[in-house]
Amino acid sequence: MKKFVGGWGGRPAIRANDADASSGTTFADRPRIYDNVFIIYEMEAGVGLKESACQWVLQNMPYDRSDASLVMYLNGLDAHGLLVVYHNWMSRRVKPQPRIVAKSIAFQQNPLTAQRANDLAQIIDDIEQGRDLTKYLSRDIVRAVVQVPGQSPRRDLDLMLNDWGVHHLHISTQVEADGFVRRDGPLLFAAFKPQIAYVIDIMKHGDWTRDHVLEVLASEWPNKGVIHEVKGVLGLKNPITEEQRATLRRKHCNSAFEFRGKVFMPIGFMSAAGTTMAAGRGADQLLDRLNVFEQEFIRSPERLRADFERHGLAFPDKLEFEFAIREDGYGVIETKTRAWINLTGNQHA
């Protein structure tokens, strides 16, 4: 019997006896749902890793299970659709890891920066130290708010994030009973990369399509991966206004931005569904790699023997795998030896 567990996600990289070191993932750090191993599905006729991926998302993504229409909708999605929903939810979080904080001139000169200095100092310290930033984010991220077709409004999408790659954080250090900070007017707009957080400015609710946000990105960090310059284009014949941009965004249409004679595109790049193109590409890549691993294992399970033995592990007579997501990526765990096989393609044994 071959067992697999599905998840999100090359060349396998095996590590010995470290499967229990899981402490979260790039997709989620709160609530803690990725410790150890979660659900096992037998590899029977017609049930493979793609189906396991569906079941893993349905079991591990927090959503309102008392909502019959939502449960029916999610259970009707295929693996690709579920993984895109999962990615959309997880992308609203910020992975806790130490970052350098780059502050824009606009932020430093904003009078609100001095007025809210104590709160901002704590937030920036939390970013620099790699602490969990969930308490500053939207309360909606605790649970995946999934849009069922025909229902409104779309609370499942953070369209500014999906379009521009910009998060908004609530500026306060007063933590309320639910674990989130108190909400008031000002918001901190920031773009997070793995090593650097780009603090754009202090804005307010409703500033979701303000040109000022893109102006800061284009003027201060045009080559840092937080905005893309469209080379070879000298300008837009009809520059887009903020009101037009808001309309286009509601329709999930991407729009260019002209600044000082150059044309830029935000990094999010929405799909027609309002999620990011990256979510779709990530789902495609994951499913391709799951399929490759499954087919190669079925065809030649012995090919893993050398890797096991190189790490001092006895190669089991009957291999059984569980899929898991860990902080270092996604992969499979051999249940008897607890060997971790990373399938993300960016790890080495």
Side-chain angles (χ1 to χ4, degrees):
M1 177 177 63
K2 296 183 279 289
K3 296 181 181 178
F4 296 88
V5 172
W8 184 272
R11 165 184 172 186
I14 295 180
R15 294 181 179 176
N17 302 319
D18 66 351
D20 293 334
S22 175
S23 59
T25 174
T26 55
F27 300 110
D29 293 277
R30 177 178 172 183
R32 291 289 184 193
I33 54 177
Y34 306 115
D35 295 330
N36 301 319
V37 178
F38 314 112
I39 308 163
I40 299 176
Y41 305 95
E42 293 188 7
M43 182 70 176
E44 297 174 346
V47 180
L49 287 175
K50 184 179 290 188
E51 177 60 24
S52 295
C54 292
Q55 296 302 319
W56 191 92
V57 173
L58 290 172
Q59 291 288 337
N60 289 279
M61 183 174 68
Y63 59 92
D64 186 359
R65 288 170 170 77
S66 67
D67 186 335
S69 62
L70 175 58
V71 172
M72 181 178 296
Y73 169 69
L74 289 175
N75 277 275
L77 293 177
D78 61 12
H80 188 274
L82 281 169
L83 290 167
V84 169
V85 169
Y86 185 67
H87 183 280
N88 178 66
W89 168 58
M90 297 309 306
S91 68
R92 300 179 70 175
R93 299 172 176 272
V94 179
K95 181 181 179 182
Q97 63 184 48
R99 291 177 172 88
I100 297 170
V101 175
K103 304 172 187 176
S104 75
I105 295 173
F107 169 76
Q108 296 178 69
Q109 294 180 346
N110 192 324
L112 288 173
T113 299
Q115 294 175 26
R116 304 300 292 268
N118 291 336
D119 290 338
L120 289 166
Q122 183 60 61
I123 295 172
I124 290 172
D125 186 63
D126 286 344
I127 295 172
E128 291 176 334
Q129 298 303 318
R131 301 187 185 104
D132 189 354
L133 303 178
T134 300
K135 62 185 177 183
Y136 302 114
L137 303 176
S138 170
R139 285 183 165 91
D140 284 342
I141 68 172
V142 170
R143 186 169 61 185
V145 183
V146 183
Q147 174 70 14
V148 176
Q151 294 183 359
S152 61
R154 291 214 63 165
R155 291 173 51 239
D156 60 318
L157 299 177
D158 183 338
L159 290 178
M160 183 175 72
L161 176 62
N162 290 351
D163 187 7
W164 288 354
V166 173
H167 280 83
H168 66 278
L169 287 73
H170 294 267
I171 304 173
S172 176
T173 56
Q174 181 180 335
V175 180
E176 299 183 326
D178 62 356
F180 287 86
V181 299
R182 182 174 61 86
R183 268 86 260 250
D184 59 10
L187 299 169
L188 183 65
F189 281 20
F192 290 90
K193 305 300 283 186
Q195 305 301 324
I196 303 177
Y198 296 91
V199 173
I200 299 167
D201 206 350
I202 299 176
M203 310 294 286
K204 63 180 186 297
H205 277 88
D207 285 346
W208 315 125
T209 57
R210 286 280 308 279
D211 286 346
H212 175 68
V213 178
L214 297 178
E215 288 171 357
V216 171
L217 295 175
S219 64
E220 299 206 30
W221 305 302
N223 303 309
K224 300 300 183 180
V226 291
I227 195 167
H228 295 307
E229 181 183 350
V230 183
K231 302 291 186 179
V233 179
L234 300 179
L236 299 176
K237 182 177 181 180
N238 298 302
I240 298 168
T241 67
E242 292 178 352
E243 292 74 17
Q244 290 172 328
R245 183 173 291 109
T247 299
L248 289 169
R249 184 180 287 171
R250 285 194 295 270
K251 296 180 179 180
H252 306 154
C253 296
N254 302 286
S255 58
F257 173 71
E258 183 177 349
F259 181 70
R260 296 176 181 171
K262 297 180 179 180
V263 176
F264 295 86
M265 286 295 296
I267 63 170
F269 210 79
M270 292 182 295
S271 69
T275 56
T276 63
M277 297 295 289
R281 290 194 300 268
D284 289 337
Q285 182 184 66
L286 167 61
L287 293 173
D288 286 346
R289 289 181 176 176
L290 291 183
N291 182 64
V292 168
F293 177 82
E294 181 178 351
Q295 296 304 316
E296 288 186 353
F297 172 74
I298 291 173
R299 182 170 57 251
S300 180
E302 286 287 317
R303 65 177 300 171
L304 294 175
R305 180 183 292 276
D307 286 319
F308 273 68
E309 293 176 348
R310 180 157 53 93
H311 288 278
L313 298 172
F315 191 67
D317 294 334
K318 184 167 57 176
L319 290 169
E320 297 180 354
F321 291 109
E322 301 168 338
F323 199 95
I325 299 177
R326 311 191 326 170
E327 190 170 355
D328 58 343
Y330 64 89
V332 295
I333 298 170
E334 202 289 311
T335 60
K336 295 184 180 67
T337 60
R338 310 304 297 166
W340 165 246
I341 304 177
N342 191 302
L343 299 179
T344 56
N346 59 3
Q347 301 291 321
H348 300 283

